[in-house]
Amino acid sequence: LVVSCGRFIDALVFTAGIGENCPLIRSLTIEKIKFLLGGVQLNDTLNDDNGKRTSGIISVDQGDGCTVLVVPSDEEAMICSECERFFFINALQ
């Protein structure tokens, strides 16, 4: 997910599977698109820890740069919820 309210991207969010659990993929992604991120730098320690001690933030605060976050998700719960909703709706018809 990418969010921009101006010249550079304001926030880059990694979530689900690989985005949530793979520091290497996050580092490589940042390297490829850092020109869009206003000079953002990852904090290697926070990235390796998947942002668990910093409310998901894994970037170095540079004031006007992009904030990079890891946001946990629960895909299985969402799939279950959508299946339940689908079957409930169809049972009423």
Side-chain angles (χ1 to χ4, degrees):
L1 173 65
V2 176
V3 179
S4 178
C5 295
R7 191 169 148 220
F8 293 113
I9 293 170
D10 297 319
L12 178 63
V13 178
F14 289 94
T15 192
I18 293 173
E20 189 177 332
N21 299 301
C22 190
L24 176 61
I25 294 295
R26 291 191 298 263
S27 293
L28 293 172
T29 301
I30 296 297
E31 277 301 310
K32 294 284 185 188
I33 64 168
K34 64 182 174 184
F35 66 95
L36 295 171
L37 306 176
V40 71
Q41 293 180 336
L42 287 185
N43 178 307
D44 292 332
T45 303
L46 300 179
N47 188 33
D48 290 342
D49 189 43
N50 298 320
K52 290 181 179 162
R53 290 178 277 156
T54 57
S55 299
I57 297 173
I58 59 171
S59 56
V60 176
D61 184 10
Q62 296 179 315
D64 60 349
C66 174
T67 300
V68 182
L69 302 116
V70 175
V71 176
S73 63
D74 190 345
E75 297 101 345
E76 291 84 3
M78 290 304 299
I79 291 168
C80 182
S81 174
E82 289 300 311
C83 288
E84 183 178 62
R85 187 175 67 85
F86 173 80
F87 287 117
F88 180 74
I89 289 170
N90 288 317
L92 295 176
Q93 295 179 357

